[in-house]
Amino acid sequence: MSNEFARYFGRKSSAECGAVVSLAKLVRPAGRRADWPLNWAGRLGWWAWICALAVVCGMQMAARAGEPERRNQEARTTMVKRLQRLPDQITLAELSNGLTVIVQENRTAPVATVRCFVRNTGSAFEGRHLGAGLSHVLEHVVAGGSTTKRTEKEIERLIDRIGGATNAFTSDDRTVYFIDCPAKDVNLAVELIADSMARCAFAPEEFARELAVVRQELADGEVDRRRVLWKMLQQTIYLEHPARHPVIGYLDVLNRTTNDTIVAFYRERYVPNNQVFVVVGDVEADAIVENVARHFEGVPRGAETFVPMPDEPMQSSPREAIREMDGATFDLVLAWPTVRLNDPDMYALDLAAAVLSDGDSSRLVRRLKHEQPLALAVRAASNTPSYVRGFFMVQASAPPDTWRQVEKGIAEEIERLHNELITPAELAKVRKQMTAGLVFARQTVKSQAMSIGNGVLAAGDPLYESRYVEQLAKVTAEQVRDAVRRHLVPQRLNRVVLAPPGGAGATASEAAKGDESPIRREVLPNGLRVLIKRSAHLPMVNIQMCALGSALVDTPQQAGRSHLVAAMLDRGTDKHNAREIAEYFDSIGGTLNFSAGRFTISGSATVLKEDFAGAMEMFAECVTRSTFPEDEFAKVRQLALRAIEARRNSPQAEAQELFFDLLPADSPYHVIQGGKKETVGALTAEALREYRSRYFAPNNMVVSVFGDIDPEEALALVRRQFGGLKADPAVGQWDFRRNNRIAETVRKRYTTAKPTGMVILGYEGPSIFEKDDYAAITLLDAVTSGYSYPGGWLHEELRGAGLVYWVHAMPLSGPSPGFFLAMAQTHPGKVDEVVERIEKNIQRARRGQISEEEFETAVDMVLSLHAHENTTISEQARQAVLDELYGLGYDYDTRFPERIKAVKRDDLARVANKYLNHAIILTMASEPAAKEAAPAQQ
């Protein structure tokens, strides 16, 4: 027995470990007792042999008499049966009760995530209860619910105290629970997850509350276009297999399901041998394995789960599903049944999907969005689960006047894959994209934990993702073509269309810790501020640029101008056209994005380190030498107009636009970021050129390079690409003061065709320069509605009463004074009650009715969750660039904990009384509910 294995064998004190080992040695000779009579007979004679046989028989009888006690002891003692050290600092252990434990040590930040993946759950694995959504209901009840050791409130307080973020989700074939936390609190997170997995108490009041929430979620799902489209696709592709049923189940089946049935499902499926426990972060693997085993002490292995599933018959003829739904677009899916996980064709089909839609130079994206702006969105994917044949799909969204052209274009590109080999350049590009994607996805402990858990559940391999990329590199163009010919055939086509009202008739048939350096700030002679940071734990580099402007200079009549400027930066320069730019970044597996925020236009490129120099040159070219070609402008403007029309699909977007229209006209928050139909329609390419020429002055910009770089070489590249720009004294000095005054409460009621209700309350709020007030209102946000994750007064009261699907409050702020918003989605007939309850909680804050415990919990929560916010190099760069651009200093965010800790409990009531007085209150509900409700006060 190795020392490493012996360390875990007994799992208690070293003396107890020795006792277990000694017992094993004493028992072991009984396994060789058949040899003893022959040896003894030769030395002692026949009678001695008889005596010895009697002794042996007595020993056997004594051993058998003690067998029940020994088995009981084994059942009570959880030991480590198997321990493996794997690459990437991964440790894999299997406990004697069947629990799999996987730990990855990651020292990049003092954070950790604890996740438990429960196998043999999910909508496809519910056996005789198919359609009830038992796994999803259990997720709601178990996640954070009372256990036999602690109440729900005690658990909530503990998680808030450590600043943890906890949640869970259910899919077709698993349920996953997690807590993200500071690394120092990982043992508590392990204990809480373990208790949920083995000791859920099923408190009746929690059961009733969560069932009410699930029923409301079922109703709300019927107005969610993505969920409706996915359900239609699943039920078209699968006619026999349980994969056809939605994760959330069906309301009528759920209503006939008893609580005892749900609890029995938990007892049967939530057993150690169905669970994979994953911990990733700044932890010690040995200590984590020991801690997990301790918290599963006495939790026995369950009966092995076998869920019989019928094979889905091979499809022999085309199928179609069409439905109308409120909205402005046609959402279309073309899909073909294919193979299960690890079928040899899986890799070729994944490559085919990437060739179609991975990156701006991919076939479908280039054809349907750039060469002709026909589609709002298009993507291809190959879905290959392990428990049923999967499917290859192409999904697109388009306006009514172009959706048929989009469908035709998709069909032609599929046919092209049948008839032509993909080019060597396309193969090389996709392989590079996959490699880069794998590297980029390993930046956070959360994504690493999901990769490990998913790999184990799907293929029994925590390193499956790496091995998958290795196999992908072996696929040939001929194999891609042959796989497409085998599976993507007309007789197996599934066509699913979600049409706007009246549109259905229009449809016809790891990484070790790397070198780190502090951020280095340089100012070039032309005024350009440059931030450089070496972070070499992954071989990648992020480049960013940010320029002030946007709604600070766009009037309401120019809304959308900044959005189009950003969208046009990579659509053509004096050296490269849009297609060449897209193909370059796709060929190196990189990403390039330009976007407009409320106060800035920014760009970001992320590439592997060996491609940094070339990527910097192309990135700078887009920023400084874009030409805004007229033909590309026409396409971009058309897409923007269609995106504006598509806002009607979302009740949240619809309500937010109406709310922003009510804000003071000279506030930058009044300007609709994507623009309106009339403002975008009036824009010209020349107006965009003028904007770029005026506001992209070096003294109005910040450029950053973060990643695996040599700082001197990176700075030299920035000088070479940006040093020749001319400063403009007319920009760079900004007055951020704008009007956010709400002199009196205004109530506005709107109607919508969607069967839902929306509520938005907006109060005055501070700017980020009012540092004390902004820190205090951040904590007030945490008290009233949680911080980043749902929680607080509003969530507990409104969600707890089953009044809302979601509710949240937040500061809407920036360099200009902003607002404090509370928003909720509810039943159309409940909007007034939701408004009343939100106002009641705001008054509670104004009265200072915040307990010391609530205040301290908010502080811990904000500090912990903020630590999780900027963990990738691109996130860190983005925060530093914005803070530097606004004049706060690139390291301003590093002092965030100081500002939060300086806030006193009384400060929360102070800012509530300073800002949360009058409000703009918007309610939006479907017309029948609006008519039934009391008249609105205007």
Side-chain angles (χ1 to χ4, degrees):
M1 178 181 297
S2 69
N3 291 337
E4 183 176 84
F5 192 85
R7 187 184 308 131
Y8 293 106
F9 195 88
R11 260 210 339 95
K12 294 188 178 180
S13 69
S14 57
E16 289 173 305
C17 290
V20 174
V21 175
S22 299
L23 177 62
K25 290 178 179 176
L26 286 172
V27 172
R28 194 177 298 127
R32 299 196 298 269
R33 59 182 180 268
D35 295 334
W36 299 352
L38 294 176
N39 295 337
W40 290 3
R43 297 184 180 185
L44 304 177
W46 188 77
W47 284 107
W49 184 85
I50 293 295
C51 293
L53 182 60
V55 171
V56 172
C57 291
M59 291 171 62
Q60 288 181 288
M61 292 176 66
R64 288 172 181 164
E67 186 72 12
E69 178 58 29
R70 183 178 67 81
R71 289 178 179 171
N72 288 337
Q73 178 64 30
E74 288 179 354
R76 290 193 298 269
T77 302
T78 303
M79 300 179 295
V80 176
K81 285 177 54 181
R82 180 169 62 97
L83 187 72
Q84 276 183 279
R85 303 294 190 191
L86 302 176
D88 296 338
Q89 286 75 51
I90 293 175
T91 296
L92 184 150
E94 181 186 347
L95 305 188
S96 56
N97 59 7
L99 180 72
T100 299
V101 183
I102 307 173
V103 184
Q104 183 178 38
E105 297 179 356
N106 181 330
R107 310 293 184 196
T108 57
V111 297
T113 186
V114 178
R115 297 179 180 234
C116 189
F117 296 72
V118 186
R119 287 188 268 230
N120 293 308
T121 63
S123 52
F125 286 78
E126 293 178 356
R128 65 184 184 278
H129 305 296
L130 276 176
L134 297 187
S135 302
H136 178 253
V137 173
L138 273 176
E139 172 215 316
H140 274 256
V141 177
V142 172
S146 296
T147 67
T148 56
K149 294 171 65 176
R150 296 181 179 91
T151 67
E152 181 181 49
K153 288 296 181 185
E154 289 171 331
I155 294 169
E156 182 179 328
R157 281 195 293 270
L158 282 173
I159 293 174
D160 287 346
R161 176 69 65 190
I162 66 173
T166 183
N167 215 326
F169 65 88
T170 304
S171 69
D172 294 344
D173 65 337
R174 69 198 65 182
T175 308
V176 182
Y177 298 83
F178 68 86
I179 297 177
D180 301 327
C181 64
K184 65 183 178 62
D185 298 304
V186 70
N187 288 335
L188 176 60
V190 166
E191 179 183 353
L192 294 176
I193 292 288
D195 285 349
S196 293
M197 295 303 95
R199 303 175 184 92
C200 184
F202 296 103
E205 66 277 8
E206 296 171 20
F207 225 137
R209 182 194 66 216
E210 295 304 321
L211 280 170
V213 169
V214 170
R215 291 185 178 104
Q216 183 60 47
E217 191 176 342
L218 276 160
D220 291 335
E222 293 304 310
V223 299
D224 186 320
R225 291 177 74 87
R226 291 173 301 174
R227 286 172 61 175
V228 170
L229 187 67
W230 183 255
K231 180 178 175 181
M232 291 171 64
L233 174 62
Q234 293 286 89
Q235 297 189 340
T236 304
I237 289 266
Y238 300 116
L239 301 183
E240 302 286 340
H241 195 275
R244 74 187 312 269
H245 300 295
V247 170
I248 198 170
Y250 307 98
L251 183 59
D252 51 351
V253 181
L254 176 60
N255 285 339
R256 295 195 303 268
T257 303
T258 67
N259 290 4
D260 287 344
T261 299
I262 299 171
V263 173
F265 189 81
Y266 172 87
R267 306 288 185 217
E268 176 186 312
R269 303 297 175 89
Y270 280 59
V271 292
N273 41 310
N274 269 346
Q275 295 170 353
V276 177
F277 215 91
V278 180
V279 180
V280 178
D282 189 6
V283 300
E284 297 293 337
D286 294 355
I288 293 296
V289 173
E290 182 177 352
N291 191 34
V292 173
R294 180 167 63 252
H295 290 299
F296 276 88
E297 187 76 49
V299 181
R301 175 189 289 268
E304 295 301 322
T305 305
F306 172 70
V307 181
M309 293 189 183
D311 285 334
E312 179 66 27
M314 180 56 70
Q315 183 177 337
S316 57
S317 59
R319 299 172 188 166
E320 185 175 80
I322 302 168
R323 173 176 166 177
E324 291 184 1
M325 186 174 179
D326 182 64
T329 60
F330 279 80
D331 294 293
L332 167 75
V333 179
L334 302 180
W336 297 260
T338 56
V339 299
R340 294 176 184 252
L341 186 77
N342 283 338
D343 184 284
D345 281 348
M346 177 188 77
Y347 305 97
L349 291 169
D350 286 352
L351 271 171
V355 166
L356 288 176
S357 73
D358 276 14
D360 282 350
S361 67
S362 61
R363 295 182 177 186
L364 286 176
V365 175
R366 185 178 68 237
R367 173 174 179 171
L368 300 179
K369 292 188 68 177
H370 299 321
E371 291 179 353
Q372 299 181 70
L374 302 174
L376 295 171
V378 61
R379 73 180 184 98
S382 179
N383 178 38
T384 50
S386 60
Y387 55 90
V388 65
R389 280 196 302 269
F391 53 85
F392 187 101
M393 59 172 275
V394 181
Q395 180 180 351
S397 180
D401 60 332
T402 64
W403 79 274
R404 286 186 180 280
Q405 294 169 266
V406 169
E407 182 176 18
K408 181 174 181 290
I410 293 170
E412 288 173 353
E413 290 300 333
I414 296 295
E415 184 64 22
R416 183 180 168 195
L417 286 175
H418 274 258
N419 298 329
E420 302 174 13
L421 292 175
I422 58 176
T423 67
E426 284 179 305
L427 256 183
K429 175 182 70 176
V430 170
R431 288 170 179 161
K432 192 64 176 282
Q433 286 174 321
M434 295 287 187
T435 302
L438 175 64
V439 172
F440 298 164
R442 288 162 48 197
Q443 296 184 77
T444 68
V445 295
K446 305 172 193 178
S447 59
Q448 289 168 344
M450 289 306 300
S451 172
I452 290 169
N454 289 335
V456 172
L457 263 66
D461 183 2
L463 297 171
Y464 176 77
E465 195 174 77
S466 299
R467 305 190 209 286
Y468 165 84
V469 173
E470 293 171 5
Q471 292 300 315
L472 206 66
K474 301 175 183 177
V475 178
T476 66
E478 288 79 9
Q479 289 172 322
V480 174
R481 180 197 59 196
D482 293 347
V484 168
R485 288 177 173 178
R486 269 191 292 274
H487 301 288
L488 277 56
V489 294
Q491 64 268 28
R492 296 182 191 151
L493 172 65
N494 294 267
R495 180 173 180 268
V496 178
V497 181
L498 193 57
T507 64
S509 46
E510 137 182 12
K513 185 175 181 180
D515 295 338
E516 293 282 333
S517 72
I519 297 175
R520 172 180 171 184
R521 180 182 184 270
E522 296 282 344
V523 181
L524 302 190
N526 60 7
L528 179 72
R529 287 159 286 177
V530 184
L531 305 179
I532 304 288
K533 176 180 171 63
R534 174 171 169 79
S535 179
H537 68 281
L538 288 172
M540 57 187 289
V541 181
N542 174 260
I543 310 163
Q544 296 204 27
M545 175 283 304
C546 207
L548 274 170
S550 200
L552 290 170
V553 296
D554 287 345
T555 67
Q557 293 72 37
Q558 296 170 315
R561 181 175 62 159
S562 302
H563 176 80
L564 263 66
V565 170
M568 284 293 294
L569 289 175
D570 61 352
R571 300 304 287 267
T573 70
D574 57 358
K575 295 177 65 177
H576 296 92
N577 60 35
R579 178 171 180 172
E580 290 169 337
I581 295 169
E583 286 181 339
Y584 171 74
F585 278 94
D586 287 348
S587 70
I588 62 173
T591 62
L592 174 67
N593 297 290
F594 291 100
S595 62
R598 195 170 297 279
F599 301 98
T600 63
I601 291 179
S602 61
S604 176
T606 302
V607 297
L608 296 174
K609 64 176 293 186
E610 63 263 29
D611 302 309
F612 166 47
M616 169 61 86
E617 182 176 356
M618 186 68 81
F619 178 82
E621 184 182 311
C622 291
V623 174
T624 64
R625 302 172 67 173
S626 52
T627 57
F628 302 89
E630 293 287 347
D631 58 335
E632 293 291 338
F633 170 73
K635 300 172 190 175
V636 168
R637 182 173 61 181
Q638 192 173 358
L639 284 173
L641 289 169
R642 287 170 175 166
I644 291 168
E645 184 67 19
R647 288 184 204 146
R648 291 170 44 201
N649 294 347
S650 166
Q652 295 93 338
E654 192 176 359
Q656 287 171 14
E657 182 170 343
L658 291 169
F659 174 79
F660 291 136
D661 282 341
L662 297 174
L663 297 178
D666 55 345
S667 167
Y669 305 95
H670 172 75
V671 180
I672 305 300
Q673 287 186 266
K676 295 192 173 186
K677 185 175 181 180
E678 60 272 18
T679 62
V680 171
L683 289 171
T684 65
E686 184 58 32
L688 308 191
R689 296 187 192 102
E690 291 174 358
Y691 182 105
R692 202 281 308 274
S693 175
R694 181 171 183 183
Y695 296 109
F696 278 33
N699 52 314
N700 193 46
M701 294 196 301
V702 176
V703 170
S704 70
V705 182
F706 282 34
D708 190 1
I709 57 169
D710 179 287
E712 291 298 334
E713 292 177 1
L715 183 59
L717 280 173
V718 175
R719 284 197 182 103
R720 186 183 311 151
Q721 300 299 334
F722 291 93
L725 297 179
K726 303 296 184 184
D728 184 351
V731 298
Q733 298 296 323
W734 292 90
D735 182 358
F736 294 114
R737 292 173 296 179
R738 296 290 193 278
N739 177 30
N740 71 331
R741 181 83 171 120
I742 302 176
E744 60 180 1
T745 295
V746 176
R747 299 178 187 270
K748 293 287 186 179
R749 184 186 301 277
Y750 298 90
T751 60
T752 178
K754 301 171 182 65
T756 190
M758 293 297 305
V759 167
I760 304 179
L761 288 80
Y763 299 84
E764 294 176 17
S767 76
I768 56 175
F769 295 114
E770 296 164 282
K771 300 173 184 178
D772 294 342
D773 286 359
Y774 189 77
I777 212 159
T778 298
L779 289 175
L780 184 60
D781 169 29
V783 169
T784 55
S785 74
Y787 181 80
S788 300
Y789 286 82
W793 294 348
L794 297 178
H795 183 79
E796 290 175 5
E797 178 172 340
L798 296 171
R799 183 73 183 265
L803 280 174
V804 298
Y805 176 48
W806 59 264
V807 60
H808 200 65
M810 69 186 72
L812 176 66
S813 193
S816 294
F819 301 89
F820 184 82
L821 306 184
M823 300 182 290
Q825 185 172 5
T826 183
H827 184 275
K830 300 293 186 180
V831 292
D832 292 333
E833 182 178 354
V834 170
V835 168
E836 181 181 346
R837 293 202 185 203
I838 292 175
E839 289 184 296
K840 182 190 71 175
N841 280 279
I842 295 297
Q843 291 303 315
R844 178 182 172 188
R846 285 167 53 83
R847 291 191 297 270
Q849 294 176 331
I850 301 168
S851 70
E852 188 65 32
E853 182 180 2
E854 287 174 325
F855 173 73
E856 291 176 357
T857 294
V859 171
D860 291 338
M861 179 195 309
V862 169
L863 291 177
S864 176
L865 291 176
H866 181 267
H868 279 271
E869 286 176 357
N870 296 316
T871 58
T872 69
I873 58 171
S874 59
E875 292 168 346
Q876 292 166 2
R878 173 72 174 171
Q879 188 68 59
V881 164
L882 285 175
D883 288 342
E884 178 66 26
L885 191 65
Y886 293 153
L888 296 167
Y890 66 86
D891 58 349
Y892 181 73
D893 189 65
T894 63
R895 298 187 295 277
F896 179 86
E898 298 173 20
R899 295 191 293 276
I900 293 298
K901 291 175 182 177
V903 177
K904 306 302 181 186
R905 180 160 60 106
D906 292 344
D907 289 330
L908 274 61
R910 177 183 60 78
V911 294
N913 282 283
K914 181 176 179 179
Y915 296 104
L916 310 187
N917 298 301
H918 302 298
I920 294 173
I921 301 173
L922 176 144
T923 57
M924 188 180 78
S926 52
E927 193 166 359
K931 289 179 179 178
E932 293 168 8
Q937 180 181 351
Q938 299 294 326

